[in-house]
Amino acid sequence: MKTNNQKIAFITGITGQDGSYLAEQLLNKGYTVHGMIRRSSSFNTGRIEHLYIDKLRQHQSTNFKLHYGDLTDFTSIFFILNEIQPDEIYHLGAQSHVQVSFEIPEYTADSIALGTLRLLEAVRALKMEKTIKIYNAVTSELYGKVQEVPQTETTPFYPRSPYGVAKLYAYWIAKNFRESYGMHISNGILFNHESERRGETFVTRKITIGIGDILAGLSDKISLGNIDAERDWGYAPDFTEGMYQMLQLDYADDFVLATGEKHSVREFCIKAFAVAGITLRWEGKGVDEKAYDTKTNKLLIDINPKYFRPAEVEQLLGDPSKAIKALNWNPTQTPFDELVRRMVENDIKISQQKADALRN
Ligand code: NAP
Ligand code: F7E
């Protein structure tokens, strides 16, 4: 039941990395949070399960509710919005893996480009366009083959993957609905943000899980693709706070959220192994490059061309000045070294538990 000052938020992509942190933050701010989940034959609510359990433990009436739906299914979006009448929508749902988007470009476009259009049209069909504020999750992948360094809100776009191209449509349709119908829709152009909840096939988490598994004896080495790619990596909960701040403004706009620092995948490996007390020695070039433990000479990293992309985004570096000023947002509340440490320590623990479970 809605009380006068209790806000209602709707999150698409609530089961993902960002959706799970954002749901926690909004619940802590007193919101009622509704999320859309996809029907799956296997468990897909691991990142938000604790939100239910917390409520049950505290015997609280639930202000957290999940609804089945899909961004490829207009009817489901329409009925959910009609039922919950949200004040704010955080649109995070997407097939978000860049490499996978080369394998399934049509589905990527359907869920991201048309998915965003379906959501916005459902808002209009329900005549909610003047009352709802919407956050639209776009990405630094719009810059792709970068035309300027660092990238700002005015840097020309040059996407390099079906994912980036689909997000380009999502960016423009949001902007078009803002200009055409006066809708309060802000595009968040977010640079990479990682965490202990990052999907396991994104490079940072793949590396930190790999380290945990090597230490626990579950794996020998990590195989990677382009380790010279450079990214502007921030910490996901800091970035979801920025999303919330965008919707607290009385105007809608486009904002870059980034740290303003870049690091290569190679550097991430060096720092992550250092957290585990291991110093790497690199040998060879290109696909023959390998990294060894300086103490034991054990092979720890090699290159597998299957992880190269048909078109690569070599470097990304964002300029978050506009967001810092307008949102009073701190991009490096969690600095890079701290992000790496948290992820490695988390995954060392998880791998150890996996290994213990296998032994028992
Ligand atoms: P994520 O962990 O991959 O989560 C994606 C979410 O979207 C999941 O909840 C997923 O559901 C859901 N989803 C996928 N296809 C869907 C569909 N057809 N219908 C409904 N839901 C669907 O992504 P994230 O890292 O949290 O990122 C959140 C958003 O920000 C995404 O739009 C992403 O493209 C964008 N973004 C991310 C970054 C980053 O560095 N993390 C940077 C810039 C922009 P399942 O759990 O069922 O798969
Ligand atoms: O790759 C290189 C890879 O998959 C980062 C998504 O959240 O951020 C993410 O997209 C870099 C790339 O993230 C491996 O070639 C090397 O250059 O972790 P990633 P991404 O492609 O930057 C943007 C902002 C989003 O919007 C996306 O949704 O690392 N790389 N070796 C590798 N990448 C992976 N995944 N696996 C490797 O083995």
Side-chain angles (χ1 to χ4, degrees), residues 239-260:
F239 281 51
T240 51
E241 189 58 40
M243 297 174 186
Y244 165 77
Q245 294 300 346
M246 279 181 217
L247 293 203
Q248 307 321 303
L249 295 174
D250 55 13
Y251 60 94
D253 203 345
D254 303 328
F255 295 99
V256 162
L257 296 190
T259 69

Side-chain angles (χ1 to χ4, degrees), residues 224-274:
L224 296 171
N226 177 12
I227 55 173
D228 292 316
E230 294 175 305
R231 289 291 183 275
D232 179 331
W233 279 299
Y235 190 51
D238 299 342
F239 281 51
T240 51
E241 189 58 40
M243 297 174 186
Y244 165 77
Q245 294 300 346
M246 279 181 217
L247 293 203
Q248 307 321 303
L249 295 174
D250 55 13
Y251 60 94
D253 203 345
D254 303 328
F255 295 99
V256 162
L257 296 190
T259 69
E261 266 178 44
K262 67 179 161 68
H263 303 271
S264 64
V265 173
R266 180 194 302 276
E267 198 183 333
F268 191 96
C269 292
I270 293 169
K271 292 213 179 227
F273 271 99

Side-chain angles (χ1 to χ4, degrees), residues 12-20 36-40 44-45 47 69-72 91-97 107 110-112 135 137-141 163 167 188-194 197-199 202 233 236 243:
T12 71
I14 196 165
T15 56
Q17 170 187 254
D18 292 4
S20 67
M36 183 162 78
I37 57 165
R38 301 193 287 174
R39 195 272 157 182
S40 165
N44 66 355
T45 49
R47 292 188 181 101
D70 199 297
L71 288 163
T72 60
H91 174 41
L92 311 180
Q95 187 305 93
S96 75
H97 203 284
Y107 174 72
D110 193 2
S111 61
I112 294 179
Y135 171 82
V138 291
T139 165
S140 52
E141 285 292 304
Y163 169 79
K167 286 282 185 183
I189 308 174
L190 268 56
F191 284 63
N192 300 53
H193 44 281
E194 318 294 309
R197 296 186 198 165
R198 185 57 145 152
F202 296 97
W233 279 299
M243 297 174 186

Side-chain angles (χ1 to χ4, degrees), residues 20-280:
S20 67
Y21 285 118
L22 182 67
E24 272 169 27
Q25 289 165 348
L26 293 175
L27 286 168
N28 286 335
K29 293 177 200 297
Y31 279 61
T32 293
V33 174
H34 294 263
M36 183 162 78
I37 57 165
R38 301 193 287 174
R39 195 272 157 182
S40 165
S41 66
S42 53
F43 193 58
N44 66 355
T45 49
R47 292 188 181 101
I48 49 173
E49 194 188 21
H50 61 289
L51 296 177
Y52 271 132
I53 292 173
D54 287 353
K55 293 289 152 208
L56 288 176
R57 277 207 196 105
Q58 295 158 20
H59 304 289
Q60 284 181 3
S61 67
T62 185
N63 49 359
F64 177 65
K65 193 163 177 216
L66 300 177
H67 307 255
Y68 282 111
D70 199 297
L71 288 163
T72 60
D73 174 11
F74 174 83
T75 332
S76 63
I77 303 169
F78 180 91
F79 278 110
I80 297 170
L81 289 180
N82 190 37
E83 183 188 332
I84 68 178
Q85 303 273 324
D87 300 292
E88 296 173 6
I89 298 178
Y90 294 87
H91 174 41
L92 311 180
Q95 187 305 93
S96 75
H97 203 284
V98 173
Q99 184 154 20
V100 172
S101 79
F102 287 98
E103 310 284 324
I104 47 169
E106 183 182 333
Y107 174 72
T108 302
D110 193 2
S111 61
I112 294 179
L114 294 182
T116 303
L117 176 65
R118 288 184 189 104
L119 178 72
L120 299 182
E121 279 291 78
V123 169
R124 269 182 8 95
L126 290 162
K127 305 208 180 315
M128 295 173 174
E129 66 266 40
K130 293 284 187 246
T131 54
I132 291 185
K133 292 180 171 182
I134 304 174
Y135 171 82
N136 185 36
V138 291
T139 165
S140 52
E141 285 292 304
L142 296 178
Y143 301 117
K145 189 171 176 186
V146 297
Q147 304 294 296
E148 156 174 90
V149 181
Q151 294 86 53
T152 72
E153 291 78 4
T154 57
T155 301
F157 297 137
Y158 195 138
R160 293 273 280 173
S161 64
Y163 169 79
V165 173
K167 286 282 185 183
L168 188 67
Y169 179 90
Y171 169 90
W172 279 112
I173 201 66
K175 201 157 171 136
N176 179 257
F177 273 44
R178 186 200 301 159
E179 292 172 0
S180 304
Y181 308 119
M183 290 171 68
H184 192 298
I185 312 175
S186 286
N187 281 312
I189 308 174
L190 268 56
F191 284 63
N192 300 53
H193 44 281
E194 318 294 309
S195 72
E196 301 91 319
R197 296 186 198 165
R198 185 57 145 152
E200 299 185 2
T201 59
F202 296 97
V203 77
T204 55
R205 190 81 201 284
K206 180 173 166 181
I207 294 164
T208 59
I209 290 175
I211 292 173
D213 283 356
I214 291 169
L215 293 186
L218 298 171
S219 161
D220 290 337
K221 62 176 169 69
I222 307 170
S223 295
L224 296 171
N226 177 12
I227 55 173
D228 292 316
E230 294 175 305
R231 289 291 183 275
D232 179 331
W233 279 299
Y235 190 51
D238 299 342
F239 281 51
T240 51
E241 189 58 40
M243 297 174 186
Y244 165 77
Q245 294 300 346
M246 279 181 217
L247 293 203
Q248 307 321 303
L249 295 174
D250 55 13
Y251 60 94
D253 203 345
D254 303 328
F255 295 99
V256 162
L257 296 190
T259 69
E261 266 178 44
K262 67 179 161 68
H263 303 271
S264 64
V265 173
R266 180 194 302 276
E267 198 183 333
F268 191 96
C269 292
I270 293 169
K271 292 213 179 227
F273 271 99
V275 173
I278 295 170
T279 308
L280 297 176

